[in-house]
């Protein structure tokens, strides 16, 4: 197999193009200066972009490159899920350090192609360049949805239930374990994989949007408190979260039982859960639980929207919990 330097930039682009299905005519993907893409009739285009920088968002030593490829697209798919959009196309840009292994790039592309195929999402273009630092990955994703079905952060109403999908805190605890030297292949794999290979809730987000039951929605990337705070800011309201009602996995309980203090900060502020948080009128509870059963994903009421302008977290004993930070921030 050729090395990356021998393959060259345009050879790498051709190599990437060969790994992914291309748009069907009259659309145009990789090969020209720009792509030509057409949304379905009556639908708006929904666009999101995420940047993953080595040493900030990921450590190549934590797991196989295939999982990094999967995660690179998953975090963008999660953004579309939170708006009830259907994934269509994505763009990949890579800044690659000198001497980087082509074998690692191959593994990364394997995972990226797996995730794209699972969600019927087509690679339509991108860019490559060298990096004087670590590996940098930028993915821009485009989806579509009928305008009246697109879910935003700005529709929450006082009295709404606050719901979350799946379980919280696994990814943050998994990252803590990875940073302590734990690696895949042991009892902590369920926690590590929530960090290394998150599952975007695309089908669930689409079902919730189509059902018309939800007032506001966001994906949990920076932590429940921070991301629910974004809904409250955009909706000009507040919220109260009951920590005793948060859905927690058996793996988190087992690992946390050995700690002197329960890791509530990881659960509500750790981030990278990539679950959905949404608000809905209380009268929609039964209908939402039916969607939960159909999608096979647990949905849990964890609090309510209030008239205040604050997000409060209430411990099981009824006292307020004040974490040192509401969620992850870069600056």
């Amino acid at each position: 197999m050729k090395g990356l330097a021998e393959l060259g930039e345009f050879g790498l682009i051709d190599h990437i193009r060969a790994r992914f299905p291309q748009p069907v005519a009259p659309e145009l993907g990789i090969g020209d200066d720009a792509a030509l893409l057409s949304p379905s009739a009556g639908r708006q285009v929904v666009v999101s972009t995420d940047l993953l920088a080595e040493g900030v968002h990921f450590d190549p030593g934590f797991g196989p490159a295939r999982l990094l490829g999967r995660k690179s697209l998953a975090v963008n798919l999660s953004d579309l899920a939170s708006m009830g959009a259907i994934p269509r196309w994505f763009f990949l840009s890579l800044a690659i350090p000198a001497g980087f292994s082509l074998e690692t790039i191959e593994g990364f592309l394997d995972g990226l192609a797996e995730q794209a195929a699972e969600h019927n999402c087509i690679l339509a273009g991108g860019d490559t360049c060298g990096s004087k630092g670590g590996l940098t990955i930028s993915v821009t994703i485009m989806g579509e949805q009928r305008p009246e079905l697109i879910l935003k952060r700005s529709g929450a109403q006082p009295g709404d239930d606050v719901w979350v999908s799946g379980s919280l805190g696994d990814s943050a605890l998994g990252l803590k374990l990875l940073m302590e030297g734990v690696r895949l292949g042991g009892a902590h794999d369920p926690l590590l994989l929530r960090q290394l290979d998150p599952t975007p809730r695309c089908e669930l987000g689409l079902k919730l949007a189509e059902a018309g039951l939800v007032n506001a929605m966001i994906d949990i990337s920076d932590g429940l408190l921070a991301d629910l705070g974004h809904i409250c800011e955009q909706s000009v309201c507040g919220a109260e979260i009951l920590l005793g009602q948060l859905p927690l996995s058996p793996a988190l309980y087992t690992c946390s039982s050995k700690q002197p203090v329960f890791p509530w900060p990881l659960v509500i502020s750790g981030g990278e859960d990539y679950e959905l948080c949404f608000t809905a009128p209380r009268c929609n509870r039964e209908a939402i639980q039916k969607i939960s059963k159909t999608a096979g994903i647990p949905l849990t009421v964890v609090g309510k929207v209030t008239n205040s302008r604050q997000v409060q977290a209430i411990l099981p004993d009824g006292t307020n919990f004040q974490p040192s930070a509401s969620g992850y921030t870069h600056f």
Side-chain angles (χ1 to χ4, degrees), residues 5-74:
E6 187 179 359
L7 193 63
E9 179 184 1
F10 296 107
L12 176 60
I13 293 171
D14 289 339
H15 190 69
I16 293 172
R17 175 169 50 184
R19 302 285 294 273
F20 294 86
Q22 291 300 292
V24 178
E27 297 186 351
L28 184 66
I30 300 172
D32 276 71
D33 289 321
L36 302 177
L37 307 171
S38 304
S40 303
R43 289 177 173 170
Q44 281 188 313
V45 176
V46 183
V47 184
S48 180
T49 189
D50 273 289
L51 187 69
L52 301 181
E54 182 178 345
V56 178
H57 300 94
F58 67 91
D59 183 324
F62 283 173
R66 182 181 69 84
L67 297 186
L68 178 59
R70 289 183 58 83
K71 183 173 182 177
S72 297
L73 187 55

Side-chain angles (χ1 to χ4, degrees), residues 52-305:
L52 301 181
E54 182 178 345
V56 178
H57 300 94
F58 67 91
D59 183 324
F62 283 173
R66 182 181 69 84
L67 297 186
L68 178 59
R70 289 183 58 83
K71 183 173 182 177
S72 297
L73 187 55
V75 300
N76 290 78
L77 286 164
S78 184
D79 286 333
L80 293 192
S82 72
M83 301 194 76
I86 303 164
R88 288 290 305 275
W89 313 279
F90 72 101
F91 295 79
L92 170 69
S93 294
L94 297 172
I96 306 171
F100 205 78
S101 163
L102 182 57
E103 182 180 2
T104 302
I105 293 294
E106 290 279 6
F108 172 85
L109 294 175
D110 284 342
L112 191 72
E114 284 177 14
Q115 192 75 271
E118 288 173 15
H119 295 278
N120 197 28
C121 197
I122 294 172
L123 178 63
D127 195 14
T128 60
C129 70
S131 169
K132 295 186 180 297
L135 176 66
T136 300
I137 305 159
S138 177
V139 174
T140 296
I141 196 165
M142 303 176 72
E144 61 180 20
Q145 185 52 278
R146 301 206 312 269
E148 69 273 17
L149 296 184
I150 294 173
L151 293 168
K152 302 174 184 178
R153 302 176 180 181
S154 55
Q157 299 292 321
D160 277 1
D161 288 329
V162 176
W163 294 76
V164 296
S165 66
S167 60
L168 304 182
D170 293 345
S171 178
L173 183 52
L175 177 60
K176 180 175 183 293
L177 292 170
L178 286 165
M179 294 178 70
E180 291 172 354
V182 179
R183 294 294 181 266
L184 288 170
H188 294 306
D189 280 6
L191 298 171
L192 305 187
L193 287 171
R194 285 293 302 276
Q195 165 64 210
L196 298 172
D197 189 16
T199 302
R201 301 301 192 185
C202 295
E203 180 184 2
L204 175 62
L206 183 59
K207 287 181 182 296
L208 290 169
E210 291 177 340
L213 302 170
V214 172
N215 283 336
M217 188 154 71
I218 194 170
D219 74 322
I220 304 175
S221 55
D222 296 325
L224 175 61
L225 283 188
D227 290 314
L228 180 56
H230 296 322
I231 286 181
C232 292
E233 181 180 3
Q234 293 295 316
S235 300
V236 193
C237 62
E240 183 180 274
I241 297 301
L242 302 177
L243 300 189
Q245 293 182 197
L246 297 183
L248 307 176
S249 71
L252 185 141
Y253 269 122
T254 299
C255 188
S256 300
S257 65
K258 303 172 185 177
Q259 306 299 319
V261 179
F262 194 80
W264 288 119
L266 292 180
V267 174
I268 61 174
S269 305
E272 292 199 288
D273 297 296
Y274 297 108
E275 297 291 354
L276 297 179
C277 172
F278 60 93
T279 80
R282 185 182 179 89
C283 61
N284 290 344
R285 282 190 180 187
E286 184 176 351
I288 290 172
Q289 288 296 3
K290 287 181 179 178
I291 290 177
S292 173
K293 291 179 181 178
T294 301
I297 300 170
L299 296 175
T300 307
V301 176
V302 299
K304 63 182 179 181
V305 177

